[in-house]
Structure formats: structure tokens, C-alpha cells
PDB file of all heavy atoms in Angstrom:
ATOM      1  N   TYR A 379      97.088 115.148 123.991  1.00 94.00           N
ATOM      2  CA  TYR A 379      96.120 114.674 123.014  1.00 94.00           C
ATOM      3  C   TYR A 379      94.708 114.759 123.546  1.00 94.00           C
ATOM      4  O   TYR A 379      93.762 115.072 122.800  1.00 94.00           O
ATOM      5  CB  TYR A 379      96.437 113.234 122.551  1.00 94.00           C
ATOM      6  CG  TYR A 379      95.427 112.759 121.546  1.00 94.00           C
ATOM      7  CD1 TYR A 379      95.540 113.082 120.209  1.00 94.00           C
ATOM      8  CD2 TYR A 379      94.306 112.011 121.960  1.00 94.00           C
ATOM      9  CE1 TYR A 379      94.573 112.727 119.304  1.00 94.00           C
ATOM     10  CE2 TYR A 379      93.341 111.661 121.045  1.00 94.00           C
ATOM     11  CZ  TYR A 379      93.471 112.014 119.722  1.00 94.00           C
ATOM     12  OH  TYR A 379      92.514 111.627 118.800  1.00 94.00           O
ATOM     13  N   ALA A 380      94.570 114.511 124.844  1.00 92.00           N
ATOM     14  CA  ALA A 380      93.212 114.595 125.462  1.00 92.00           C
ATOM     15  C   ALA A 380      92.655 116.036 125.337  1.00 92.00           C
ATOM     16  O   ALA A 380      91.446 116.230 125.257  1.00 92.00           O
ATOM     17  CB  ALA A 380      93.273 114.195 126.932  1.00 92.00           C
ATOM     18  N   VAL A 381      93.535 117.000 125.329  1.00 92.00           N
ATOM     19  CA  VAL A 381      93.139 118.397 125.211  1.00 92.00           C
ATOM     20  C   VAL A 381      92.825 118.806 123.750  1.00 92.00           C
ATOM     21  O   VAL A 381      91.823 119.471 123.461  1.00 92.00           O
ATOM     22  CB  VAL A 381      94.194 119.327 125.821  1.00 92.00           C
ATOM     23  CG1 VAL A 381      93.811 120.815 125.579  1.00 92.00           C
ATOM     24  CG2 VAL A 381      94.368 119.083 127.283  1.00 92.00           C
ATOM     25  N   PHE A 382      93.676 118.342 122.856  1.00 93.00           N
ATOM     26  CA  PHE A 382      93.594 118.804 121.455  1.00 93.00           C
ATOM     27  C   PHE A 382      92.985 117.776 120.493  1.00 93.00           C
ATOM     28  O   PHE A 382      92.602 118.158 119.392  1.00 93.00           O
ATOM     29  CB  PHE A 382      95.003 119.195 120.957  1.00 93.00           C
ATOM     30  CG  PHE A 382      95.608 120.374 121.603  1.00 93.00           C
ATOM     31  CD1 PHE A 382      96.447 120.256 122.699  1.00 93.00           C
ATOM     32  CD2 PHE A 382      95.297 121.657 121.161  1.00 93.00           C
ATOM     33  CE1 PHE A 382      97.020 121.391 123.292  1.00 93.00           C
ATOM     34  CE2 PHE A 382      95.833 122.774 121.772  1.00 93.00           C
ATOM     35  CZ  PHE A 382      96.685 122.665 122.841  1.00 93.00           C
ATOM     36  N   GLY A 383      92.934 116.479 120.846  1.00 91.00           N
ATOM     37  CA  GLY A 383      92.465 115.472 119.922  1.00 91.00           C
ATOM     38  C   GLY A 383      90.939 115.353 119.900  1.00 91.00           C
ATOM     39  O   GLY A 383      90.257 115.839 120.806  1.00 91.00           O
ATOM     40  N   THR A 384      90.443 114.682 118.863  1.00 89.00           N
ATOM     41  CA  THR A 384      89.000 114.564 118.697  1.00 89.00           C
ATOM     42  C   THR A 384      88.485 113.149 118.857  1.00 89.00           C
ATOM     43  O   THR A 384      87.281 112.927 118.815  1.00 89.00           O
ATOM     44  CB  THR A 384      88.564 115.084 117.274  1.00 89.00           C
ATOM     45  OG1 THR A 384      89.225 114.303 116.288  1.00 89.00           O
ATOM     46  CG2 THR A 384      88.919 116.540 117.132  1.00 89.00           C
ATOM     47  N   SER A 385      89.366 112.151 118.953  1.00 90.00           N
ATOM     48  CA  SER A 385      88.923 110.769 119.144  1.00 90.00           C
ATOM     49  C   SER A 385      88.744 110.512 120.633  1.00 90.00           C
ATOM     50  O   SER A 385      89.586 110.872 121.486  1.00 90.00           O
ATOM     51  CB  SER A 385      89.937 109.804 118.585  1.00 90.00           C
ATOM     52  OG  SER A 385      89.632 108.466 118.942  1.00 90.00           O
ATOM     53  N   SER A 386      87.632 109.839 120.971  1.00 88.00           N
ATOM     54  CA  SER A 386      87.352 109.581 122.392  1.00 88.00           C
ATOM     55  C   SER A 386      88.086 108.341 122.903  1.00 88.00           C
ATOM     56  O   SER A 386      88.166 108.115 124.118  1.00 88.00           O
ATOM     57  CB  SER A 386      85.858 109.362 122.588  1.00 88.00           C
ATOM     58  OG  SER A 386      85.408 108.244 121.827  1.00 88.00           O
ATOM     59  N   THR A 387      88.684 107.548 121.984  1.00 89.00           N
ATOM     60  CA  THR A 387      89.302 106.292 122.405  1.00 89.00           C
ATOM     61  C   THR A 387      90.709 106.075 121.932  1.00 89.00           C
ATOM     62  O   THR A 387      91.354 105.096 122.294  1.00 89.00           O
ATOM     63  CB  THR A 387      88.433 105.081 121.953  1.00 89.00           C
ATOM     64  OG1 THR A 387      88.220 105.203 120.524  1.00 89.00           O
ATOM     65  CG2 THR A 387      87.065 105.064 122.662  1.00 89.00           C
ATOM     66  N   LEU A 388      91.253 106.991 121.135  1.00 91.00           N
ATOM     67  CA  LEU A 388      92.617 106.809 120.599  1.00 91.00           C
ATOM     68  C   LEU A 388      93.615 106.889 121.763  1.00 91.00           C
ATOM     69  O   LEU A 388      93.588 107.835 122.561  1.00 91.00           O
ATOM     70  CB  LEU A 388      92.915 107.871 119.572  1.00 91.00           C
ATOM     71  CG  LEU A 388      94.256 107.664 118.813  1.00 91.00           C
ATOM     72  CD1 LEU A 388      94.143 106.455 117.882  1.00 91.00           C
ATOM     73  CD2 LEU A 388      94.593 108.925 117.992  1.00 91.00           C
ATOM     74  N   ALA A 389      94.500 105.893 121.859  1.00 90.00           N
ATOM     75  CA  ALA A 389      95.523 105.867 122.900  1.00 90.00           C
ATOM     76  C   ALA A 389      96.875 106.235 122.225  1.00 90.00           C
ATOM     77  O   ALA A 389      97.367 105.485 121.390  1.00 90.00           O
ATOM     78  CB  ALA A 389      95.630 104.471 123.548  1.00 90.00           C
ATOM     79  N   VAL A 390      97.435 107.337 122.605  1.00 93.00           N
ATOM     80  CA  VAL A 390      98.662 107.862 122.004  1.00 93.00           C
ATOM     81  C   VAL A 390      99.859 107.494 122.831  1.00 93.00           C
ATOM     82  O   VAL A 390      99.829 107.463 124.029  1.00 93.00           O
ATOM     83  CB  VAL A 390      98.563 109.413 121.878  1.00 93.00           C
ATOM     84  CG1 VAL A 390      99.874 110.018 121.393  1.00 93.00           C
ATOM     85  CG2 VAL A 390      97.422 109.772 120.955  1.00 93.00           C
ATOM     86  N   GLY A 391     100.959 107.152 122.092  1.00 92.00           N
ATOM     87  CA  GLY A 391     102.210 106.776 122.757  1.00 92.00           C
ATOM     88  C   GLY A 391     103.135 106.181 121.776  1.00 92.00           C
ATOM     89  O   GLY A 391     102.930 106.247 120.570  1.00 92.00           O
ATOM     90  N   PRO A 392     104.223 105.588 122.243  1.00 93.00           N
ATOM     91  CA  PRO A 392     105.174 104.928 121.342  1.00 93.00           C
ATOM     92  C   PRO A 392     104.490 103.749 120.607  1.00 93.00           C
ATOM     93  O   PRO A 392     103.712 103.022 121.226  1.00 93.00           O
ATOM     94  CB  PRO A 392     106.274 104.438 122.257  1.00 93.00           C
ATOM     95  CG  PRO A 392     106.124 105.225 123.503  1.00 93.00           C
ATOM     96  CD  PRO A 392     104.687 105.505 123.641  1.00 93.00           C
ATOM     97  N   VAL A 393     104.787 103.564 119.324  1.00 91.00           N
ATOM     98  CA  VAL A 393     104.294 102.422 118.563  1.00 91.00           C
ATOM     99  C   VAL A 393     105.457 101.812 117.819  1.00 91.00           C
ATOM    100  O   VAL A 393     106.511 102.464 117.602  1.00 91.00           O
ATOM    101  CB  VAL A 393     103.165 102.804 117.605  1.00 91.00           C
ATOM    102  CG1 VAL A 393     101.979 103.413 118.329  1.00 91.00           C
ATOM    103  CG2 VAL A 393     103.676 103.806 116.541  1.00 91.00           C
ATOM    104  N   ALA A 394     105.276 100.585 117.365  1.00 89.00           N
ATOM    105  CA  ALA A 394     106.373  99.805 116.814  1.00 89.00           C
ATOM    106  C   ALA A 394     106.976 100.459 115.577  1.00 89.00           C
ATOM    107  O   ALA A 394     108.211 100.685 115.504  1.00 89.00           O
ATOM    108  CB  ALA A 394     105.873  98.407 116.453  1.00 89.00           C
ATOM    109  N   VAL A 395     106.159 100.777 114.548  1.00 89.00           N
ATOM    110  CA  VAL A 395     106.691 101.277 113.293  1.00 89.00           C
ATOM    111  C   VAL A 395     107.410 102.611 113.494  1.00 89.00           C
ATOM    112  O   VAL A 395     108.528 102.813 112.985  1.00 89.00           O
ATOM    113  CB  VAL A 395     105.591 101.395 112.254  1.00 89.00           C
ATOM    114  CG1 VAL A 395     106.099 102.052 110.962  1.00 89.00           C
ATOM    115  CG2 VAL A 395     105.002 100.026 111.931  1.00 89.00           C
ATOM    116  N   VAL A 396     106.784 103.528 114.223  1.00 93.00           N
ATOM    117  CA  VAL A 396     107.417 104.843 114.466  1.00 93.00           C
ATOM    118  C   VAL A 396     108.700 104.674 115.265  1.00 93.00           C
ATOM    119  O   VAL A 396     109.681 105.413 115.031  1.00 93.00           O
ATOM    120  CB  VAL A 396     106.417 105.792 115.130  1.00 93.00           C
ATOM    121  CG1 VAL A 396     107.102 107.044 115.624  1.00 93.00           C
ATOM    122  CG2 VAL A 396     105.283 106.128 114.195  1.00 93.00           C
ATOM    123  N   SER A 397     108.723 103.762 116.219  1.00 93.00           N
ATOM    124  CA  SER A 397     109.949 103.505 116.993  1.00 93.00           C
ATOM    125  C   SER A 397     111.066 103.006 116.124  1.00 93.00           C
ATOM    126  O   SER A 397     112.241 103.396 116.245  1.00 93.00           O
ATOM    127  CB  SER A 397     109.660 102.503 118.104  1.00 93.00           C
ATOM    128  OG  SER A 397     108.719 103.031 119.031  1.00 93.00           O
ATOM    129  N   LEU A 398     110.762 102.120 115.174  1.00 91.00           N
ATOM    130  CA  LEU A 398     111.750 101.624 114.249  1.00 91.00           C
ATOM    131  C   LEU A 398     112.270 102.732 113.355  1.00 91.00           C
ATOM    132  O   LEU A 398     113.482 102.858 113.142  1.00 91.00           O
ATOM    133  CB  LEU A 398     111.145 100.505 113.380  1.00 91.00           C
ATOM    134  CG  LEU A 398     112.064  99.925 112.329  1.00 91.00           C
ATOM    135  CD1 LEU A 398     113.240  99.189 112.969  1.00 91.00           C
ATOM    136  CD2 LEU A 398     111.284  98.992 111.372  1.00 91.00           C
ATOM    137  N   MET A 399     111.354 103.591 112.865  1.00 92.00           N
ATOM    138  CA  MET A 399     111.788 104.725 112.014  1.00 92.00           C
ATOM    139  C   MET A 399     112.602 105.707 112.852  1.00 92.00           C
ATOM    140  O   MET A 399     113.573 106.306 112.316  1.00 92.00           O
ATOM    141  CB  MET A 399     110.544 105.401 111.442  1.00 92.00           C
ATOM    142  CG  MET A 399     109.756 104.552 110.483  1.00 92.00           C
ATOM    143  SD  MET A 399     108.267 105.365 109.855  1.00 92.00           S
ATOM    144  CE  MET A 399     109.022 106.580 108.797  1.00 92.00           C
ATOM    145  N   THR A 400     112.279 105.885 114.114  1.00 95.00           N
ATOM    146  CA  THR A 400     113.071 106.754 115.004  1.00 95.00           C
ATOM    147  C   THR A 400     114.483 106.221 115.121  1.00 95.00           C
ATOM    148  O   THR A 400     115.454 107.003 115.011  1.00 95.00           O
ATOM    149  CB  THR A 400     112.411 106.879 116.373  1.00 95.00           C
ATOM    150  OG1 THR A 400     111.134 107.489 116.235  1.00 95.00           O
ATOM    151  CG2 THR A 400     113.257 107.680 117.319  1.00 95.00           C
ATOM    152  N   ALA A 401     114.615 104.921 115.338  1.00 93.00           N
ATOM    153  CA  ALA A 401     115.938 104.332 115.488  1.00 93.00           C
ATOM    154  C   ALA A 401     116.768 104.505 114.230  1.00 93.00           C
ATOM    155  O   ALA A 401     117.946 104.860 114.281  1.00 93.00           O
ATOM    156  CB  ALA A 401     115.805 102.826 115.804  1.00 93.00           C
ATOM    157  N   ALA A 402     116.153 104.350 113.055  1.00 91.00           N
ATOM    158  CA  ALA A 402     116.866 104.481 111.797  1.00 91.00           C
ATOM    159  C   ALA A 402     117.256 105.926 111.570  1.00 91.00           C
ATOM    160  O   ALA A 402     118.369 106.177 111.061  1.00 91.00           O
ATOM    161  CB  ALA A 402     115.976 103.985 110.650  1.00 91.00           C
ATOM    162  N   ALA A 403     116.436 106.871 111.963  1.00 93.00           N
ATOM    163  CA  ALA A 403     116.704 108.284 111.735  1.00 93.00           C
ATOM    164  C   ALA A 403     117.817 108.812 112.609  1.00 93.00           C
ATOM    165  O   ALA A 403     118.789 109.439 112.120  1.00 93.00           O
ATOM    166  CB  ALA A 403     115.433 109.122 111.949  1.00 93.00           C
ATOM    167  N   ILE A 404     117.764 108.504 113.909  1.00 95.00           N
ATOM    168  CA  ILE A 404     118.765 109.093 114.788  1.00 95.00           C
ATOM    169  C   ILE A 404     120.090 108.349 114.747  1.00 95.00           C
ATOM    170  O   ILE A 404     121.122 108.920 115.130  1.00 95.00           O
ATOM    171  CB  ILE A 404     118.238 109.148 116.269  1.00 95.00           C
ATOM    172  CG1 ILE A 404     117.887 107.751 116.773  1.00 95.00           C
ATOM    173  CG2 ILE A 404     117.029 110.058 116.351  1.00 95.00           C
ATOM    174  CD1 ILE A 404     117.318 107.757 118.211  1.00 95.00           C
ATOM    175  N   ALA A 405     120.077 107.103 114.251  1.00 92.00           N
ATOM    176  CA  ALA A 405     121.348 106.380 114.109  1.00 92.00           C
ATOM    177  C   ALA A 405     122.240 107.018 113.047  1.00 92.00           C
ATOM    178  O   ALA A 405     123.463 106.817 113.048  1.00 92.00           O
ATOM    179  CB  ALA A 405     121.074 104.925 113.768  1.00 92.00           C
ATOM    180  N   LYS A 406     121.656 107.834 112.164  1.00 91.00           N
ATOM    181  CA  LYS A 406     122.407 108.479 111.091  1.00 91.00           C
ATOM    182  C   LYS A 406     123.159 109.746 111.566  1.00 91.00           C
ATOM    183  O   LYS A 406     124.067 110.239 110.923  1.00 91.00           O
ATOM    184  CB  LYS A 406     121.500 108.851 109.949  1.00 91.00           C
ATOM    185  CG  LYS A 406     120.887 107.677 109.222  1.00 91.00           C
ATOM    186  CD  LYS A 406     120.076 108.104 108.000  1.00 91.00           C
ATOM    187  CE  LYS A 406     118.921 108.973 108.391  1.00 91.00           C
ATOM    188  NZ  LYS A 406     118.013 109.273 107.219  1.00 91.00           N
ATOM    189  N   VAL A 407     122.766 110.255 112.772  1.00 94.00           N
ATOM    190  CA  VAL A 407     123.327 111.509 113.221  1.00 94.00           C
ATOM    191  C   VAL A 407     124.040 111.410 114.546  1.00 94.00           C
ATOM    192  O   VAL A 407     124.695 112.355 114.990  1.00 94.00           O
ATOM    193  CB  VAL A 407     122.220 112.584 113.325  1.00 94.00           C
ATOM    194  CG1 VAL A 407     121.608 112.831 111.962  1.00 94.00           C
ATOM    195  CG2 VAL A 407     121.151 112.194 114.315  1.00 94.00           C
ATOM    196  N   ALA A 408     123.942 110.234 115.205  1.00 93.00           N
ATOM    197  CA  ALA A 408     124.598 110.120 116.538  1.00 93.00           C
ATOM    198  C   ALA A 408     124.899 108.655 116.827  1.00 93.00           C
ATOM    199  O   ALA A 408     124.275 107.743 116.277  1.00 93.00           O
ATOM    200  CB  ALA A 408     123.686 110.713 117.623  1.00 93.00           C
TER     201      ALA A 408
END
């Protein structure tokens, strides 16, 4: 993100909502 992103302060990584959606998505296939 530091190479391709345009925000000087955005911190990228795991977040709560996306982690919950990830759990719901992969639980359907494995």
C-alpha cells in the first residue's frame, strides 16, 4: 500500500468487519 496508495496516513491490515465477512465466506467452503 505504501508503494501504490495515495493516503499518507491510512494504516492497512485486518479489520473487524472484513474479518467477520471472511469467516462467513470461507466457512461455506471448508
Side-chain angles (χ1 to χ4, degrees):
Y379 179 81
V381 174
F382 292 95
T384 59
S385 171
S386 62
T387 53
L388 188 69
V390 174
V393 300
V395 173
V396 170
S397 297
L398 178 67
M399 296 178 71
T400 297
I404 59 181
K406 295 184 297 186
V407 298

